[in-house]
């Protein structure tokens, strides 16, 4: 009986931990501070769900200061709409998926301060999503 060889197709699943978030003008938030978010979610009414970007707040450069400077610039420009680029990465750091997200900031939670806690200080930015484009 002849042997039949089956060649497996190359398969590399996407990983939840391989992503970067780039906030558009006027924010100068480093890509590496965002540690948790979701990809855009479309509900059954075909409307985009709110997204939450959870960010570390290091001593330097301070994410709080970068967020506040961006908010101040938005106020000066009399607008509240921002662009965010969410990129999913491959195993060698190449961009394999890019989401262009446009929305308005509806809440920024700078975290709580507590003398009895040794937890990390985190910032949560809530975005009402207006439009989403999946580039690739």
């Amino acid at each position: 009986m002849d042997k039949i060889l089956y060649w497996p197709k190359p398969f590399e699943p996407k990983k939840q931990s391989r992503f970067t978030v780039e906030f558009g003008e006027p924010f100068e938030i480093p890509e590496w501070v965002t540690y948790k978010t979701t990809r855009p979610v479309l509900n059954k009414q075909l409307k985009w769900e709110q997204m939450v970007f959870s960010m570390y707040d290091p001593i330097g450069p301070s994410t709080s200061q970068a967020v506040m400077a961006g908010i101040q610039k938005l106020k000066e420009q009399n607008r509240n709409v921002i662009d965010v680029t969410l990129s999913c990465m491959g195993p060698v750091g190449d961009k394999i998926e890019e989401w262009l997200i446009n929305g308005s900031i509806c809440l920024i939670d700078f975290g709580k301060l507590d003398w009895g806690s040794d937890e990390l200080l985190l910032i949560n930015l809530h975005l009402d999503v207006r439009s989403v484009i999946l580039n690739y």
Side-chain angles (χ1 to χ4, degrees):
M1 186 166 138
D2 293 309
K3 285 187 178 180
I4 300 174
L5 297 176
Y6 292 98
W7 295 98
K9 292 184 179 183
F11 175 74
E12 175 73 32
K14 296 175 184 174
K15 302 264 183 141
Q16 291 183 11
S17 61
R18 294 182 187 152
F19 71 93
T20 60
V21 175
E22 183 180 335
F23 291 90
E25 288 294 321
F27 291 95
E28 295 179 16
I29 300 170
E31 291 181 11
W32 53 268
V33 299
T34 303
Y35 75 93
K36 184 168 62 171
T37 189
T38 59
R39 294 193 300 174
V41 175
L42 193 61
N43 66 25
K44 64 184 177 181
Q45 286 85 25
L46 297 179
K47 294 187 179 183
W48 294 104
E49 295 285 328
Q50 188 181 97
M51 291 181 72
V52 178
F53 298 90
S54 299
M55 300 175 277
Y56 292 116
D57 192 9
I59 294 170
S62 170
T63 306
S64 293
Q65 289 176 348
V67 169
M68 287 306 296
I71 294 297
Q72 186 60 39
K73 289 177 185 174
L74 284 177
K75 282 184 172 185
E76 290 169 1
Q77 298 169 2
N78 200 23
R79 65 185 185 106
N80 69 343
V81 177
I82 64 169
D83 295 315
V84 178
T85 303
L86 173 64
S87 301
C88 295
M89 313 303 274
V92 295
D94 55 327
K95 288 185 181 182
I96 57 172
E97 187 173 272
E98 181 178 77
W99 297 84
L100 305 176
I101 302 157
N102 177 275
S104 58
I105 297 171
C106 59
L107 176 73
I108 300 174
D109 178 3
F110 287 95
K112 66 178 184 175
L113 301 174
D114 182 355
W115 282 101
S117 175
D118 195 31
E119 298 293 318
L120 296 175
L121 198 52
L122 306 171
I123 297 172
N124 290 307
L125 186 144
H126 298 247
L127 189 72
D128 276 335
V129 177
R130 293 181 176 189
S131 66
V132 174
I133 297 171
L134 177 58
N135 253 357
Y136 52 89

